[in-house]
């Protein structure tokens, strides 16, 4: 990393003496060298950047991304996923275990950690709850934790066996592990393709009601209370889910949750054109649900925003809506979407930088002399276009391809490396 001097940036590093102030930041050899009201360039080889109107914050952290490898490298491999993450301002990513083979033993965990060591973006494996994601037997939870798994989930395969989920919550308490629950009652969701309601009736498609999500949130809250265990809900999508978690937090339960960025700004009405790039799971719901999710972010009910990055080859998406795969690529579009949703820069940093790491008991990057420079410099007002030239993912299944987006991660830095546009 070159010596970099950032002039007049707005600092949003929690705990910094310069928090919410405009100052200069000097980065040398990948470390914070100085933070002051005004710093002169130490030499001709210093890269000086005008930071007026730009935010300097801890690098973003994504709690939910699918990076494909091992086994699905044609969708995304660890290198391309890391590149897309860096372009989106992320210096840390928790990668989901829905790979081939699944991440259900220490071998897969070690493979991901060793393969990604040299990347700018830190890759943290999430291990499976159940062996082979089958929902029958517990996977090697403790061994995976020792190998470096930061949490446990079966991805978008909900754990239907209540006894298994209860045992998983109880078991991980022994080593302060965390279960990530994808809440969906498959017997209610059935073969639904979108949100159940007026729009699904109008389009003649089978729907997935919010009830499918809310039933499992209720179940897992009961299990967490019974076992006095932590629980984290991934990608909640309905107003009812927000209410359930809000009440659970008031009761003192150890519950956290996140929401996918696209659920904040999109609703079921965009499906009228049958564009399969809008087909996600949980499905896009109503505008009232989106409003409730935003309110949940503002009042602290929802702890984090995630990308739910789910890349697919063209043959999985350029087909009829009914048979298209669920998911969109999202690592590069999280920032523009949360800005479009109306989140303030301070709230963005809380939901994208601070809380995700706190949920996983990972340290939040600090702005102190001598500390490793783990940061993102982003411009809330800068516009850019997501296209084949700017897309860093191996896949392009995003409804935002070819559109102008406002909000850009200009520079991402970590481990002595820098990505800049």
């Amino acid at each position: 990393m070159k010596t970099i001097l950032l002039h007049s940036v707005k600092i949003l590093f929690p705990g910094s003496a310069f928090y919410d102030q405009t100052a200069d930041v000097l980065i040398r050899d990948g470390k914070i060298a100085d933070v002051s009201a005004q710093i002169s360039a130490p030499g001709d080889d210093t890269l000086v950047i005008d930071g007026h109107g730009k935010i300097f914050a801890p690098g973003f952290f994504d709690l939910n991304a699918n990076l494909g490898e091992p086994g699905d490298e044609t969708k995304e491999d660890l290198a391309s996923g890391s590149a897309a993450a860096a372009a989106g301002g992320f210096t840390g990513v928790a990668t989901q275990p829905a790979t081939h083979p699944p991440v259900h033993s220490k071998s897969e965990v070690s493979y991901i950690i060793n393969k990604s060591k040299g990347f700018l973006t830190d890759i943290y494996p999430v291990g499976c709850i159940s062996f082979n994601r089958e929902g029958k037997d517990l996977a090697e939870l403790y061994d995976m934790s020792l190998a470096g798994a930061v949490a446990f989930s079966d991805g978008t395969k909900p754990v239907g066996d209540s006894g298994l989920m209860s045992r998983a919550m109880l078991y991980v308490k022994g080593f302060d592990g965390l279960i990530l629950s994808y809440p969906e009652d498959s017997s209610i969701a059935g073969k639904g393709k979108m949100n159940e309601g007026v729009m699904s009736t109008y389009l003649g498609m089978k729907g997935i009601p919010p009830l499918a999500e809310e039933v499992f949130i209720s179940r897992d809250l009961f299990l967490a209370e019974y076992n006095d265990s932590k629980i984290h809900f991934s990608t909640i999508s309905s107003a009812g889910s927000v209410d359930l978690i809000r009440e659970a937090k008031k009761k003192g339960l150890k519950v956290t949750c996140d929401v996918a960025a696209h659920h904040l700004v999109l609703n079921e009405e965009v499906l009228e054109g049958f564009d399969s790039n809008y087909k996600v799971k949980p499905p896009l719901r109503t505008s009232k649900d989106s409003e409730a999710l935003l309110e949940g972010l503002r009042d602290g009910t929802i702890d984090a925003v995630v990308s739910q990055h789910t890349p697919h080859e063209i043959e999985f998406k350029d087909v009829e809506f009914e048979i298209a795969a669920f998911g969109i690529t999202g690592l590069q579009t999280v920032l523009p979407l949360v800005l479009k949703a109306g989140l303030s820069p301070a709230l963005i940093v809380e939901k994208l930088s601070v809380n995700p790491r706190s949920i996983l008991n990972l340290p939040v990057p600090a702005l102190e002399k001598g500390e490793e420079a783990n940061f993102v410099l982003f411009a809330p007002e800068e516009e850019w276009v997501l296209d084949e030239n700017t897309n860093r993912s191996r896949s392009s299944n995003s409804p935002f391809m070819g559109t102008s987006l406002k909000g850009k991660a200009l520079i991402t830095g970590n481990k002595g490396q820098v990505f800049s546009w």
Side-chain angles (χ1 to χ4, degrees):
M1 182 186 288
K2 294 181 179 179
T3 300
I4 300 174
L5 177 59
L6 304 172
H7 265 313
S8 301
V9 293
K10 184 172 183 179
I11 293 174
L12 288 182
F13 270 77
S16 169
F18 289 90
Y19 182 80
D20 204 26
Q21 297 180 35
T22 298
D24 292 357
V25 180
L26 182 67
I27 301 170
R28 182 187 291 118
D29 298 327
K31 296 182 182 294
I32 304 297
D34 196 9
V35 184
S36 183
Q38 189 171 1
I39 302 172
S40 298
D44 294 338
D45 60 343
T46 301
L47 175 62
V48 180
I49 296 172
D50 181 4
H52 285 89
K54 301 174 180 64
I55 310 296
F56 185 68
F60 299 150
F61 191 103
D62 190 10
L63 283 171
N64 189 321
N66 293 278
L67 300 188
E69 192 173 2
D72 283 330
E73 289 84 355
T74 54
K75 297 178 185 291
E76 194 85 277
D77 58 29
L78 294 171
S80 63
S82 174
F90 292 91
T91 57
V93 168
T95 181
Q96 292 293 306
T99 52
H100 295 88
V103 183
H104 58 190
S105 74
K106 62 183 180 182
S107 298
E108 294 84 26
V109 172
S110 298
Y111 172 83
I112 291 171
I113 290 175
N114 291 330
K115 185 74 180 288
S116 61
K117 274 183 178 177
F119 300 156
L120 184 157
T121 301
D122 296 312
I123 308 296
Y124 295 88
V126 173
C128 291
I129 295 173
S130 66
F131 179 76
N132 212 32
R133 299 174 66 222
E134 292 176 346
K136 296 178 180 178
D137 301 298
L138 287 180
E140 300 175 4
L141 305 182
Y142 183 58
D143 283 352
M144 286 191 286
S145 176
L146 291 178
V150 291
F152 305 97
S153 166
D154 275 356
T156 52
K157 278 192 175 182
V159 178
D161 187 321
S162 299
L164 182 71
M165 180 61 101
S166 182
R167 289 190 294 276
M169 290 184 191
L170 186 61
Y171 184 78
V172 300
K173 283 181 64 177
F175 52 91
D176 198 27
L178 178 65
I179 297 295
L180 311 182
S181 170
Y182 173 71
E184 181 190 84
D185 188 326
S186 299
S187 65
I188 296 175
K191 296 181 180 179
K193 306 298 179 183
M194 62 175 293
N195 181 53
E196 181 181 271
V198 174
M199 186 58 67
S200 65
T201 303
Y202 171 67
L203 297 178
M205 284 195 287
K206 294 178 180 178
I208 302 174
L211 179 66
E213 177 173 305
E214 294 156 12
V215 163
F216 261 35
I217 286 180
S218 296
R219 181 201 71 171
D220 288 349
L221 287 173
F222 276 118
L223 294 176
E225 184 174 21
Y226 179 78
N227 291 297
D228 190 26
S229 173
K230 296 186 295 184
I231 185 68
H232 178 88
F233 293 104
S234 298
T235 60
I236 68 168
S237 65
S238 78
S241 296
V242 176
D243 290 340
L244 287 167
I245 294 169
R246 182 180 288 119
E247 290 305 310
K249 287 192 170 188
K250 287 179 181 177
K251 287 177 62 178
L253 271 64
K254 304 169 187 175
V255 55
T256 53
C257 66
D258 63 58
V259 61
H262 45 265
H263 278 105
L264 302 175
V265 298
L266 299 174
N267 61 58
E268 61 182 3
E269 293 178 9
V270 300
L271 299 179
E272 189 171 2
F274 294 101
D275 184 346
S276 63
N277 283 320
Y278 289 110
K279 186 178 180 181
V280 294
K281 201 171 189 183
L284 300 175
R285 302 206 186 272
T286 67
S287 58
K288 289 185 178 179
D289 289 305
S290 296
E291 290 167 5
L293 293 169
L294 285 167
E295 181 58 30
L297 282 168
R298 296 188 181 105
D299 69 16
T301 301
I302 300 177
D303 302 273
V305 178
V306 300
S307 73
Q308 203 186 21
H309 180 78
T310 308
H312 289 296
E313 304 92 333
I314 190 170
E315 59 265 29
F316 285 86
K317 279 293 190 177
D318 193 15
V319 292
E320 295 86 349
F321 192 95
E322 284 279 338
I323 62 174
F326 290 98
I328 64 175
T329 58
L331 281 165
Q332 290 182 241
T333 54
V334 171
L335 177 61
L337 295 187
V338 293
L339 286 166
K340 185 177 181 179
L343 272 63
S344 68
L347 193 57
I348 289 171
V349 171
E350 177 186 329
K351 305 300 182 181
L352 283 179
S353 299
V354 179
N355 287 359
R357 290 182 170 92
S358 298
I359 288 167
L360 297 179
N361 286 325
L362 297 173
V364 178
L367 187 63
E368 302 289 345
K369 289 183 181 180
E371 291 284 341
E372 292 285 342
N374 184 325
F375 69 91
V376 58
L377 179 72
F378 66 92
E381 298 298 323
E382 184 153 341
E383 295 188 14
W384 61 287
V385 176
L386 178 65
D387 56 24
E388 61 181 11
N389 296 316
T390 57
N391 180 34
R392 296 296 189 273
S393 172
R394 297 193 70 169
S395 298
S396 57
N397 54 299
S398 169
F400 306 106
M401 288 295 292
T403 62
S404 179
L405 302 167
K406 181 181 284 189
K408 188 176 184 181
L410 300 174
I411 304 177
T412 309
N414 186 31
K415 296 192 292 193
Q417 303 178 53
V418 167
F419 172 88
S420 62
W421 293 72

